[in-house]
Structure formats: C-alpha cells, structure tokens
Amino acid sequence: MYRSHSCGELNLNHVNQEVTLSGWVQGVRDKGFMIYVDLRDRYGLTQLYFDEEKSSADLMQKAKSLGREFVIQVNGQVVERASKNPNISTGDIELLVKSLEILNEAKLPPFTIEDETDGGDDLRMKYRYLDIRRNPVKNNLIFRHQVTQGVRNYLSNEGFIEVETPYLIKSTPEGARDFVVPSRMNEGQFYALPQSPQTFKQLLMVGGMDKYFQIVKCFRDEDLRADRQPEFTQIDCEMAFVEQEDILNTFEGLTRHLIKEVHGVDTGDFPRMTFDDAMRLYGNDKPDIRFGMQFGELNPVAQHKDFKVFNSAELVVGIAVPGGNAHTRKEIDKLIDWVKRPQVGALGMVYCRCNDDGSFKSSVDKFYDQDDLAQWAQVTGAKPGDLICVLSGETTKVRAQLSALRMELAERLGLRKTNEFAPLWVVDFPLLEWDEDSERYHAMHHPFTSPKPGQIDLLDSDPGAVKANAYDLVLNGNEIGGGSIRIHDKETQAIMLKHLGFSDEEARAQFGFLMDAFEFGAPPHGGIAFGLDRLVSILGGQETIRDFIAFPKNNSGRDVMIDAPAPIDDEQLSELHLKVTLES
C-alpha cells in the first residue's frame, strides 16, 4: 500500500495515528538537527519532519538527499503542530517520519511549481505535465470535471441519452476547413474529422432517440485565438417533437442549474433579444449586458449641421460612458488613438463632455450648439458627469468599432465582473449571409437550419430578409451555445441547398443519406451545442479556454510538448498514397 491517506486529509482527529503518505516533494528546509519537508499530492500538502533525536542517522541522511519534485513514500506518526498554518487544510498537524522510501528522483524543474510561478507560457506549455501539478491548473481541470458531471447529471435526469457518433466522417464544403485523414485502404480517398456531429444527431432523431446528448470532441482547421483551439469539446444536444420554446426552456434550465451549482447564484428568466436589436443596441450578436452603454443612433440629431464627417456617414452612433467626464484630455486622446488602431479601424472619434451643471463641451463645438448636444445626451442616455463617445461611417463597420470601444471601456472601468452572470438568448438570426469573396449566400449557421415559419417563399425574392429558426445563448458577452430548429423534410432541404449554390448532383453526393432518411418519417426536431471549453472558462471567471484544457495547443496550433504536427516518414506516406502528391 503506497498510502493510507492523502496529503490533504489529515487533521487533529488523526493525532497519534500511524499513517503512510506518498507524493511529490514541494520543498525542503534543512535546519541541521531537524529537517522539514512539504509533501504534495492532488489533494493538498502535509508537512513532514525528521528529528535527529528521534530519527536514525541513515534516515536523516536520506532526508537531506531529497530534492524538489522527488517522488517519495513515508510512514510516520501524526502529531499536533506547535506552530499551526491556517492557510492549508492540514495546518494543525505534521508527520514525524519513521521511514522514507524514494520512489523516483527528479531533475530540477525548469520552473517553480507553485501557485505563483516564474515559468512563462511557452515554457509551461512545453512541460505541461509539470504545470498540471500547480494548484491553478489542477483546480481548473477539477472544475471542468465538476461542470461536465453537472451537465451529464442534469441531462440524464431530463431523459436524455448519451450516444457516441463517429470521428471519421465525410468532408463537406460548408463551414470551416476540415481536418482530413487519408485512407490507406481506399487510395485517393479521405475521411474528415467532424466539425460537429450535426447530421448524425439528426439521424438519431429519425431513429427515434428523441433526447440525445454527447460530450464530444470536434475539429476545425481555422485560425486560432485565445478562446479557440483546433480541437474543442461540445455539449451536443438534440430533441424531437419540439419547437424553439421547448429547447430554450430546457437549456435555460441547464445553464441556470450550472450557475447555481458552481456559484450559488440564482438567475431569473433569461431575457430574449432579436439579432437586429443586438446589432442596433450593442454592435454585435453576443452582447455583454452586465453593464449599460447601449448605442444611441444620432443621425436625426447630428446630420442637420455643416459637419461633413457626420453628413456623409451612413450611421452616426454614440455611447454614454458613466463618469467619463472625469477623463483628462490626455486620456481622451489615448482613447482616440485606441480606436484608430488597425485592429479597430476607426478614422477618429468625436466626444462630448456632460458637465455637472448640465452644460456640454464637445470636440465639435464649432458645428453644434448646447441644444444639439443636449439631444445627443438624450439619445445616448448620458447624465451629468458622463462622456459621450461618437463614431461614424458605414453601418456594419462603425457598429463593430463602437462595440470594441464599449468593451474596452467596460474593462477599464471594472464593469465586467467575473462573479456576475448575465445570460440572454439572441434569436431571429438571418438565415443567410452574403459573402463578398464568393459572391453568393452562405448559411449563417448551417444548411440544415429551418427558416422561420411562412418565410421560405422569400428565398426566391429576398433571400437576405429570411429569418432563421435559430438561437444563440450568450453569457457575459460570449456565445456559449447555439442551435436551431432543423429542416426535417426532403423538399425543404433541397430548396435550401439549391439557394446555397448546390446543384442537384452535388446535394445528392454530399447529403443524399440525410435526405433519404427524411423520407422514412423524420419528426420535427431541433437542438443546440454548447462550447464546453468556453462555458467552463466563463464559469471559472476567465475567458482563456487554454487554462481549462489539460493539453492545449498554442496560438499556432502546435503541441509544443510532443512537437506536433510533425513530418511522417516516406514509408507511411507511401502506404497512404501521398508520397507522389507531396513531391509533385
């Protein structure tokens, strides 16, 4: 038996008991006649001590040889500590060691394995197995497990069945780029790794599994960001014989359950917001509603004077920054420089101070009088002491620019509190979006999303006006889930694929299996998929998903620990019928 107890388990109730512990050496403090060792495992830390008056010379010598991260086993007697440590769960006791076995020696770690470490991101990624020993990473992985178990328990209690779907599937032209896998036994042919189990879960609905879920790995070969990985985990769900309201209620319940279980916070009914309102009021389709600063469209009250910048703009829009009048001119100039950065792309910013006495002072006083500026304040909801920030230009671009400024100001003002949770549903998305590069419409979600009832005829006359029976769940300015009511009949699916540019032959080749299944009695169905990595990070008070993944990739999509991706040898290439292709 390597251990009778864990290193986080012992307390005053164990005093005088003989126990066996195993773990890693966190640190050694040699006082000459007495040696103290901090022993660590997943559960906590226990202080060991060796006393030359009570320990043999061999045991003292062995203790002196210990180094950081040595793996050891000790046996000894639990005693009450004279100097207690209130910062750890075992701080009332220590272990007088009677025997010590070194199970494995360790090289000196390349960084300090403590909560506050001297290791940079790249170094810790290279030695991730050491990084996992640190409490912040370890606790994040335990937290992920707890959230995952909470999801499984909730959905199982709601009658959902967990079903696994294939990882080796067929590549489709819609969505992000696929990771492809060459087939050794079928020369010149390839599998694709799934971006989502979408078609399979729809087939499960045809098969009568009316409540399905799966916590599943998905893969997208796309550019990476802090909240994106080439492989990610989804909570994938589908339900049959449901309408949109049924799905929203079910997964609102799941989200409310998780927030309550994790943080003890009760959330009321989630607000609903249309896509159009989200874009008009916040400039993006995943608004953070923990704070105000809603957009105010100023065209009617800003385009009646001789200020050409506003008069030539498609949209003039502003936000009121609470307490922003306290900003100095230098601070405002820095904000202007911030919106001019290439990442934001604004040409400039107009501002207006709302003074405590009710008067206004703007950067365009030459063109606008006090009555004009009072109307700006009314439209943006500005109060005395606030600062109005105004951008102008082409509608889509200026909304995105002001949205970025709004989020930056909220960060600077401390309005994005990690212990506050503001979920909402965004509904009524456009079914299609126009792509300038290919000069055709693409599905905003995917080709299997149904249009709103009664709108399918608009696909011929005004495709951009068709609304999707789709919904996103947003939490604290992040999309954590999205889904839709699906098309469940062959005719409608064929119409949809036609408008997405598929010929009859292409539609048959890509999705014939699904359309055939629809002819055998497909029920009305819909579903949703949560990004587990992102959900866990937000519930954990962070927005970087890598901190909650055991072995993440870096921003170049590389695993620097195992050095992947990597070349393969000529023999493997030849077996996969790839050698000639790569050489040519």
Side-chain angles (χ1 to χ4, degrees):
M1 183 174 66
Y2 280 106
R3 55 187 177 184
S4 61
H5 297 77
S6 75
C7 292
E9 185 177 351
L10 300 176
N11 55 49
L12 290 173
N13 294 325
H14 298 94
V15 169
N16 294 325
Q17 291 185 23
E18 187 169 310
V19 302
T20 302
L21 303 179
S22 293
W24 289 264
V25 173
Q26 174 86 15
V28 180
R29 299 180 299 283
D30 188 346
K31 304 296 184 181
F33 63 92
M34 192 169 286
I35 300 171
Y36 292 96
V37 175
D38 292 329
L39 187 65
R40 180 192 70 240
D41 65 9
R42 172 161 77 89
Y43 306 94
L45 194 91
T46 297
Q47 179 171 283
L48 318 176
Y49 80 97
F50 302 78
D51 187 339
E52 67 177 15
E53 294 183 357
K54 302 176 183 179
S55 305
S56 69
D58 287 345
L59 182 58
M60 292 297 290
Q61 191 60 39
K62 211 170 188 181
K64 287 178 182 290
S65 73
L66 295 177
R68 284 166 47 194
E69 302 306 314
F70 275 38
V71 184
I72 65 173
Q73 179 190 41
V74 293
N75 179 265
Q77 182 181 14
V78 180
V79 298
E80 183 173 359
R81 281 177 69 163
S83 178
K84 295 180 171 57
N85 182 353
N87 297 318
I88 58 175
S89 62
T90 60
D92 291 336
I93 59 89
E94 57 191 352
L95 189 71
L96 174 59
V97 178
K98 295 182 178 180
S99 67
L100 162 66
E101 182 178 353
I102 297 174
L103 301 175
N104 213 334
E105 295 184 359
K107 291 170 59 178
L108 186 68
F111 55 87
T112 306
I113 301 177
E114 294 178 357
D115 290 5
E116 298 296 328
T117 183
D118 53 0
D121 287 348
D122 290 343
L123 185 63
R124 290 187 292 109
M125 289 274 280
K126 183 175 181 179
Y127 297 95
R128 184 64 166 179
Y129 47 86
L130 298 179
D131 201 27
I132 291 172
R133 295 180 189 173
R134 296 174 52 244
N135 283 327
V137 181
K138 175 198 74 176
N139 291 337
N140 283 347
L141 295 181
I142 293 172
F143 180 75
R144 181 188 178 104
H145 161 75
Q146 292 167 342
V147 172
T148 303
Q149 288 303 103
V151 169
R152 278 198 164 95
N153 292 339
Y154 182 90
L155 292 176
S156 296
N157 289 336
E158 290 291 315
F160 284 78
I161 303 299
E162 187 168 8
V163 182
E164 294 180 81
T165 54
Y167 277 169
L168 296 175
I169 65 168
K170 185 178 184 178
S171 183
T172 60
E174 287 291 318
R177 294 182 185 90
D178 288 325
F179 282 101
V180 295
V181 180
S183 171
R184 179 180 59 84
M185 294 181 290
N186 300 277
E187 183 175 351
Q189 297 186 321
F190 297 81
Y191 298 105
L193 299 179
Q195 298 182 34
S196 162
Q198 181 61 46
T199 53
F200 289 100
K201 64 181 180 180
Q202 290 190 250
L203 292 171
L204 286 170
M205 296 303 102
V206 178
M209 303 295 289
D210 64 339
K211 286 186 173 183
Y212 142 94
F213 84 100
Q214 182 181 190
I215 297 177
V216 59
K217 279 284 187 184
C218 300
F219 307 85
R220 289 179 187 170
D221 187 7
E222 57 186 355
D223 295 336
L224 305 180
R225 299 194 300 259
D227 63 343
R228 184 175 291 171
Q229 289 273 300
E231 54 178 313
F232 57 97
T233 306
Q234 279 189 183
I235 307 167
D236 199 60
C237 309
E238 198 81 1
M239 303 171 70
F241 302 110
V242 291
E243 297 177 336
Q244 176 174 297
E245 196 66 23
D246 300 307
I247 293 176
L248 267 55
N249 288 335
T250 298
F251 293 98
E252 185 170 315
L254 170 61
T255 309
R256 189 183 294 112
H257 168 78
L258 292 175
I259 295 173
K260 175 68 173 177
E261 285 290 304
V262 171
H263 291 283
V265 175
D266 289 308
T267 50
D269 291 341
F270 295 4
R272 313 277 177 91
M273 184 181 300
T274 66
F275 171 86
D276 291 342
D277 282 346
M279 299 303 295
R280 178 176 58 84
L281 295 173
Y282 298 99
N284 67 71
D285 59 2
K286 47 182 184 297
D288 191 336
I289 59 172
R290 284 176 291 181
F291 55 94
M293 288 195 280
Q294 287 188 356
F295 290 11
E297 297 190 352
L298 298 169
N299 293 45
V301 296
Q303 291 183 324
H304 63 294
K305 294 294 180 72
D306 295 328
F307 188 48
K308 293 182 180 179
V309 173
F310 283 178
N311 291 344
S312 62
E314 185 178 0
L315 177 65
V316 183
V317 62
I319 55 173
V321 183
N325 194 28
H327 282 54
T328 64
R329 175 59 189 271
K330 187 176 181 180
E331 289 172 327
I332 295 175
D333 286 343
K334 286 183 177 179
L335 274 182
I336 295 172
D337 291 339
W338 191 89
V339 300
K340 285 181 172 181
R341 298 181 316 147
Q343 299 95 317
V344 181
L347 297 177
M349 184 184 84
V350 169
Y351 66 89
C352 174
R353 295 182 178 274
C354 303
N355 298 319
D356 292 338
D357 62 5
S359 64
F360 303 93
K361 178 66 178 175
S362 81
S363 56
V364 287
D365 278 349
K366 177 180 177 181
F367 300 98
Y368 297 95
D369 57 30
Q370 291 291 298
D371 289 340
D372 294 325
L373 299 177
Q375 291 186 72
W376 291 17
Q378 182 178 2
V379 172
T380 59
K383 298 178 176 59
D386 291 352
L387 178 73
I388 303 173
C389 299
V390 183
L391 301 180
S392 62
E394 189 270 318
T395 296
T396 302
K397 290 181 180 178
V398 78
R399 281 176 171 168
Q401 292 160 1
L402 191 59
S403 176
L405 176 60
R406 175 180 179 267
M407 295 297 280
E408 176 66 17
L409 286 166
E411 199 70 48
R412 295 185 185 188
L413 294 170
L415 300 177
R416 304 190 70 199
K417 297 180 173 62
T418 57
N419 60 347
E420 292 182 4
F421 298 95
L424 79 153
W425 291 103
V426 178
V427 299
D428 295 352
F429 284 81
L431 182 68
L432 308 172
E433 56 184 345
W434 181 256
D435 180 71
E436 294 290 346
D437 294 333
S438 61
E439 295 187 339
R440 67 182 181 90
Y441 281 104
H442 290 263
M444 180 169 268
H445 285 79
H446 53 63
F448 317 108
T449 297
S450 68
K452 281 283 188 180
Q455 294 198 7
I456 192 168
D457 291 341
L458 284 174
L459 283 172
D460 290 319
S461 58
D462 190 4
V466 182
K467 298 296 185 185
N469 214 342
Y471 32 83
D472 279 357
L473 182 56
V474 177
L475 181 62
N476 294 359
N478 294 271
E479 177 205 334
I480 61 168
S484 66
I485 298 298
R486 323 300 188 190
I487 296 169
H488 67 277
D489 66 276
K490 182 177 181 179
E491 292 74 19
T492 305
Q493 188 65 72
I495 292 170
M496 182 68 176
L497 293 173
K498 175 184 176 183
H499 283 277
L500 291 173
F502 288 86
S503 68
D504 290 343
E505 292 76 17
E506 289 170 334
R508 182 72 201 169
Q510 292 289 340
F511 305 113
F513 66 94
L514 181 65
M515 297 169 77
D516 285 347
F518 286 167
E519 294 188 296
F520 290 93
H525 60 279
I528 192 169
F530 288 79
L532 178 64
D533 309 303
R534 189 175 301 171
L535 173 62
V536 170
S537 68
I538 295 170
L539 290 175
Q542 302 177 45
E543 292 192 9
T544 304
I545 65 174
R546 285 193 313 193
D547 295 336
F548 293 85
I549 298 173
F551 300 103
K553 307 291 189 292
N554 68 11
N555 286 343
S556 300
R558 294 197 63 83
D559 186 324
V560 295
M561 183 182 66
I562 64 172
D563 194 23
I568 59 176
D569 61 36
D570 289 347
E571 184 177 346
Q572 284 179 288
L573 288 172
S574 179
E575 283 184 341
L576 295 170
H577 318 290
L578 291 176
K579 189 174 182 179
V580 174
T581 303
L582 291 180
E583 287 178 346
S584 62

